[in-house]
Amino acid sequence: MKRSNSLDALRGFAILAMVLSSSIAFGILPDWMYHAQTPPPSHKFNPELPGITWVDLVFPFFLFSMGAAIPLALHTKKKVLGGLVQRFILLIFFAVFTLHTRNLGFISIGAFVLLCFLFIRVESWIPKIIALATAVTFLICKGVDIYKSDIIILVLANMAFFGGITWWLTAKQPLLRLGVLPFIAAVFLAAETPGSWAEIIYNWSPLPWMYKFYYLKYLFIILPGTFAGEWLLLSVPEIPAWDKRKWMMIAAGAFLLVIVNVVCLFSRQVVLNLALSVLIGTFMLVMATKVQAWRNYLQAGVYLLWLGLCFDCTQGGIKKDPSNYSYYFVTGGLAFLTVLGFMVLEYYGYCKRIIGYLAINGRNPMVAYVAGNLLLLPLLKLTGAIDLLSAMEHNVWLGVLRGLVFTGIVSLITIFFVQRKWYWKT
């Protein structure tokens, strides 16, 4: 099956934006350049502050792409459960190991090399066993604290496992898959009642450093994403030439909705945002009434977006931290619309270089995620080049350039690995 450049492009955008958001100068850029709940200059976390920025789209877009990849990866496999357990364990190890090897100079670089041997697929298992034994020995000698791990990878590990299990059990009953979500929501709501059975389920964990029921909230993004993956398995019907104009307008509307929602939800122009989202969404749905192709993505995206905007009136408004239902549905809907936009542009041959660039980065996300902390930063510190980046932290434009340069180098490292087919796989 031909690999989807559009899904890879969404993942590539998410991972590069993640690197960029963590490498730009802190404290001096406008509020919308950071997480909405950690505004400059102090970046003190304020859970009462509603709204989202482009930075707050990064994680849900990556989660959505993970959900979409589940059917693509598992639909032909026979030993699904064993593979999901293996992936879960390896990602947990990845979360613990990478956090304990940051800011250690040559040790960090050595850790990156060990991860190469561990996760790049080779015929012999001997290098993997040696790499794993070395990594475990290091953690033991260092005095590993298993409760300290990369929270992003920890959440992804849980989502890969529970999202994969849910899809596997409901692959032939998609409505049942959606039916799982209200039960998860019910436990979250009922757990607020002291002494209830829901509170016991919510707080119970056999291994708290690996699993918490709290992480399952992100299934509200993962499970809708699995539908996108299933639709990607279907062949695109032949599209008449006269539908091109309609689909290009729909693609433009999809990207416009992303921009409108980020701008208006951040500035809390909620009524204006709702009106524009309904107007643009309705226009797009009407345009697609007599066309097929990607209509499922459009309908799902608009539906989730509208649903999330209705929830914006609850729980203090849309927030990433603590995340709420408005956040899950709005970002899930915007992810559907972004993938749709990429698919239309790719089909008609527009923005090939941009989509191709994002896609090639999205094919090796684990490398892109750790290359900055375990390879690039140690090299910059050891060579003294870090002083050049540090000097760019006191000016707005240089602060942005700092992030772009850092992200660009991480991207080149990722592309280098992809071109040699050195994919990190769990």
Side-chain angles (χ1 to χ4, degrees), residues 88 158 162 201 204-213 215-216:
F88 178 70
N158 279 266
F162 289 104
I201 291 177
W204 179 83
S205 175
L207 297 168
W209 58 278
M210 293 178 63
Y211 156 80
K212 292 180 181 178
F213 190 91
Y215 301 148
L216 299 187

Side-chain angles (χ1 to χ4, degrees), residues 78-329:
K78 296 182 179 179
K79 299 180 180 179
V80 173
L81 184 58
L84 290 174
V85 171
Q86 173 184 306
R87 189 181 190 192
F88 178 70
I89 293 174
L90 286 174
L91 284 174
I92 293 294
F93 169 79
F94 188 79
V96 174
F97 182 70
T98 54
L99 189 72
H100 282 76
T101 53
R102 293 178 184 175
N103 301 314
L104 296 177
F106 285 112
I107 294 178
S108 297
I109 298 173
F112 185 85
V113 174
L114 285 179
L115 292 173
C116 288
F117 283 109
L118 187 59
F119 291 115
I120 294 176
R121 291 182 178 177
V122 292
E123 294 182 2
S124 175
W125 280 88
I126 295 177
K128 293 181 178 295
I129 294 173
I130 294 175
L132 180 60
T134 304
V136 171
T137 301
F138 168 79
L139 290 175
I140 294 174
C141 294
K142 189 177 186 293
V144 60
D145 183 353
I146 57 177
Y147 284 91
K148 291 183 179 179
S149 60
D150 188 313
I151 185 61
I152 292 178
I153 302 299
L154 189 61
V155 170
L156 292 177
N158 279 266
M159 289 302 94
F161 180 74
F162 289 104
I165 287 289
T166 305
W167 178 83
W168 181 46
L169 295 175
T170 63
K172 296 181 180 180
Q173 297 176 302
L175 291 180
L176 183 59
R177 191 183 320 151
L178 289 178
V180 171
L181 297 177
F183 284 97
I184 294 175
V187 172
F188 271 92
L189 292 173
E192 298 176 2
T193 303
S196 66
W197 61 265
E199 183 186 33
I200 296 174
I201 291 177
Y202 182 83
N203 293 324
W204 179 83
S205 175
L207 297 168
W209 58 278
M210 293 178 63
Y211 156 80
K212 292 180 181 178
F213 190 91
Y214 177 77
Y215 301 148
L216 299 187
K217 62 183 182 178
Y218 292 110
L219 287 176
F220 282 92
I221 298 175
I222 288 283
L223 294 185
T226 61
F227 286 85
E230 290 174 334
W231 297 334
L232 284 170
L233 291 171
L234 305 175
S235 58
V236 178
E238 185 175 348
I239 303 175
W242 56 81
D243 282 347
K244 177 179 177 179
R245 183 179 179 182
K246 289 183 179 180
W247 278 117
M248 291 303 298
M249 292 180 69
I250 290 172
F255 291 126
L256 179 60
L257 277 176
V258 175
I259 296 172
V260 165
N261 275 269
V262 170
V263 172
C264 290
L265 289 175
F266 173 72
S267 59
R268 302 311 295 156
Q269 300 291 328
V270 292
V271 176
L272 175 62
N273 182 62
L274 179 61
L276 290 174
S277 295
V278 170
L279 182 64
I280 298 171
T282 301
F283 172 77
M284 294 163 66
L285 291 172
V286 171
M287 290 285 291
T289 50
K290 295 184 179 181
V291 295
Q292 296 296 323
W294 310 287
R295 190 165 59 184
N296 286 346
Y297 300 89
L298 173 61
Q299 292 173 336
V302 171
Y303 172 81
L304 287 174
L305 175 60
W306 288 354
L307 179 62
L309 293 180
C310 291
F311 273 101
D312 186 48
C313 298
T314 67
Q315 299 178 292
I318 187 170
K319 298 174 187 175
K320 177 184 181 294
D321 294 311
S323 56
N324 54 26
Y325 296 110
S326 179
Y327 181 71
Y328 308 140
F329 296 133

